[in-house]
Amino acid sequence: MATSSSQRPGVFAIRDVRSLITETAEEGHGLKKAVGPLQLTAMGVGAIIGTGIFVVIGEGAGVAGPAVILSFVMAAVACAFSALSYAELASSIPVSGSAYTYTYATLGEIVAWIIGWDLILEYGVSVAAIAVGWGGNLNAFLDAAFGYTLPDAIAKSPEDGGVFNLPAVFIVLAITLLLCRGVTESARVNLVMVAVKLSVLLFFIVVAFINFGTGNFQPFAPDGIDGVTAAAAIIFFAYIGFDAVSTGSEEARNPAKDLPLAIIGSLLICTLFYVLTAVGAIGVANPQQLESSDAPLAAALDQGAGIGWAAAVLALGAVVAITSVVLVIMYGQTRIFFAMCRDGLLPRRLASVNQRYGTPARLTIILGVLIAILAALVPLSEIVKLVNIGTLFAFVLVNIGVVILRRTRPEMPRPYRVPWSPVLPIIGVAFAVYLMSDLPVDTWIRFVVWLIIGMAIYFLYGYRNSRLRRGDGSGTPSWVKDGEQP
């Protein structure tokens, strides 16, 4: 929706991509370009591989049997369509904010606010819930390795019979300080953690294949295609996280080349490890053994290979894996919040960048403290379901955004292009909508309530303070011709 200079931009006003990119160089509001392809790919792997593979494989095997291997492939394919769309938009619009920013440039301000507000909740609740899981896995590691566990009073939230969750608070605040210190330092630490957790999975795969047998593969698909599909819906959420890579686009040294490589590459790497892990697990343990255990990979090596001490190794891998997920997801939330503040939809003073570290330190500390309180005290068992609907909603809008930009800005430079558009983005939308339709009604109700709160904040604050209405934003003038510099 184009707007002239004499008109007051409406709620569907679209930000010009050139102005979005220009803002990244503003003094005091620009992030340091310090991340390369290896670090970006590690961010994707760090966000994807968490407790999912260490736990969800048992649940999936209980539904699909040995055909859970196909379920992992199917879930990866479902994610791949959206990953391609993220890759195109991230390389074309190298600005912090991920789906929020892409929507602002395609569907308009109010839709961008909705997805941004949705992502704030999704990422915040996700970090808090993962931090709680980190505390539980830390206790599991201490128990497996040393026969000691932390007292429930300081290891569980009031919901679970404790006073407050000290481990969850510790990991959130530690990651907060690391993110304040700098993106380079954060990326290096994440790279080390990714190497550790991939090594742990590689250890499992090697040991499993040494003790491999084919007896557990019959019958391969006891419930047919329905079982494979049902398990894929469960496993799908073990792949979520690649979208967090796009939040680092503004800090990438060469976003046009590195972001598509990192987004698609991280998904391929995780798929390879997931499938090999699933094959190895079925090769040493039957689906019933995997389903009945809270630590199915450890159970597989214990019962199938006779390696009892594997539980400590895999518990350590789970702790490292979750730490990496907390780091990347929290990083993503700070960058989305930062982009919304810089656009004026939230207090712009929070978008200031620390000149020493090159990070939005003030904003990061505020979010870290709030998430730590959430993780320590607030019941998360129900609201954590909002993570799923929030992610799928973002997938829908990003796929639609690719189709719209292809029509409204056909001449815009696109370092990476989704092949066979609009067919593949439409398939991505269909997958996301299908999975959203299977979510519980209570999740939809909470989602709608959160959006109503967000709309009230938008009309009371965001609409009036947006850069578009202060006169320092832009409508949608024509994009520069190919070959020109925006």
Side-chain angles (χ1 to χ4, degrees):
M1 178 182 296
T3 59
S4 69
S5 58
S6 61
Q7 292 178 317
R8 185 177 178 85
V11 295
F12 287 99
I14 296 171
R15 289 296 304 275
D16 175 28
V17 179
R18 288 178 297 178
S19 72
L20 288 169
I21 296 176
T22 300
E23 288 170 11
T24 65
E26 289 180 341
E27 185 177 354
H29 295 285
L31 299 171
K32 183 168 63 175
K33 295 185 179 298
V35 186
L38 180 61
Q39 292 94 332
L40 286 168
T41 303
M43 284 174 58
V45 176
I48 297 171
I49 297 181
T51 52
I53 188 59
F54 292 94
V55 177
V56 79
I57 186 173
E59 189 176 352
V63 174
V68 68
I69 298 166
L70 300 181
S71 301
F72 273 101
V73 176
M74 183 179 292
V77 171
C79 286
F81 295 105
S82 294
L84 295 175
S85 293
Y86 269 98
E88 175 170 324
L89 294 182
S91 65
S92 305
I93 312 174
V95 180
S96 283
S98 186
Y100 156 76
T101 298
Y102 310 148
T103 305
Y104 213 159
T106 56
L107 297 171
E109 182 177 273
I110 192 168
V111 184
W113 167 265
I114 290 172
I115 189 59
W117 183 248
D118 160 53
L119 290 174
I120 288 174
L121 176 69
E122 174 203 334
Y123 277 58
V125 171
S126 181
V127 171
I130 295 167
V132 171
W134 184 88
N137 279 274
L138 176 65
N139 250 348
F141 168 69
L142 293 174
D143 186 29
F146 308 107
Y148 170 80
T149 58
L150 296 172
D152 287 350
I154 61 169
K156 295 183 178 181
S157 67
E159 174 192 18
D160 297 320
V163 178
F164 70 101
N165 195 320
L166 180 60
V169 172
F170 167 78
I171 192 59
V172 170
L173 294 182
I175 294 299
T176 298
L177 294 177
L178 177 60
L179 289 173
C180 288
R181 181 66 179 81
V183 65
T184 303
E185 292 78 5
S186 300
R188 287 173 181 167
V189 171
N190 178 66
L191 185 60
V192 172
M193 290 190 291
V194 166
V196 171
K197 64 183 177 182
L198 290 184
S199 297
V200 170
L201 284 180
L202 190 60
F203 160 77
F204 173 85
I205 292 167
V206 170
V207 174
F209 274 82
I210 289 175
N211 296 274
F212 193 85
T214 59
N216 296 324
F217 285 83
Q218 297 297 330
F220 184 70
D223 294 317
I225 190 63
D226 290 340
V228 174
T229 304
I234 296 170
I235 290 168
F236 172 84
F237 301 107
Y239 283 95
I240 289 175
F242 64 83
D243 53 314
V245 177
S246 63
T247 63
S249 57
E250 191 171 323
E251 291 157 288
R253 287 192 290 264
N254 185 3
K257 177 182 178 182
D258 296 345
L259 284 167
L261 176 65
I263 293 171
I264 298 171
S266 61
L267 186 60
L268 290 175
I269 291 171
C270 294
T271 300
L272 176 63
F273 271 87
Y274 280 2
V275 170
L276 288 176
T277 300
V279 173
I282 297 296
V284 295
N286 62 54
Q288 291 72 34
Q289 290 173 317
L290 296 176
E291 183 185 17
S292 63
S293 174
D294 292 332
L297 297 188
L301 293 189
D302 183 18
Q303 300 175 32
I307 304 177
W309 51 266
V313 175
L314 292 167
L316 175 62
V319 171
V320 175
I322 299 171
T323 305
S324 181
V325 177
V326 173
L327 172 60
V328 178
I329 299 300
M330 189 169 178
Y331 166 82
Q333 189 195 35
T334 61
R335 276 23 181 200
I336 292 169
F337 206 101
F338 170 81
M340 296 179 73
C341 291
R342 188 168 59 187
D343 290 337
L345 298 180
L346 291 170
R348 199 176 178 205
R349 62 182 177 274
L350 294 180
S352 60
V353 173
N354 184 285
Q355 295 306 300
R356 179 180 178 184
Y357 300 124
T359 63
R362 181 193 306 172
L363 180 153
T364 302
I365 292 172
I366 292 173
L367 290 176
V369 171
L370 292 175
I371 292 172
I373 294 172
L374 186 69
L377 301 173
V378 178
L380 296 171
S381 58
E382 293 301 319
I383 61 173
V384 73
K385 295 175 183 176
L386 290 169
V387 174
N388 297 340
I389 194 170
T391 301
L392 292 169
F393 187 45
F395 284 4
V396 169
L397 294 184
V398 168
N399 281 296
I400 292 174
V402 167
V403 176
I404 291 177
L405 265 186
R406 288 285 187 95
R407 293 182 62 85
T408 60
R409 297 288 183 272
E411 69 280 11
M412 187 177 80
R414 290 173 171 82
Y416 172 81
R417 300 173 68 92
V418 177
W420 304 310
S421 180
V423 176
L424 295 191
I426 290 174
I427 294 175
V429 171
F431 267 115
V433 170
Y434 168 75
L435 291 170
M436 289 173 74
S437 67
D438 197 41
L439 293 173
V441 174
D442 289 349
T443 300
W444 280 96
I445 293 174
R446 294 186 184 94
F447 182 64
V448 171
V449 170
W450 177 254
L451 292 185
I452 291 173
I453 296 171
M455 294 306 296
I457 295 174
Y458 171 72
F459 284 109
L460 291 173
Y461 181 89
Y463 177 81
R464 294 182 296 174
N465 291 277
S466 166
R467 291 178 73 108
L468 284 172
R469 280 161 209 92
R470 291 203 317 266
D472 53 354
S474 173
T476 50
S478 298
W479 183 260
V480 293
K481 298 297 182 183
D482 287 338
E484 295 182 10
Q485 295 295 318

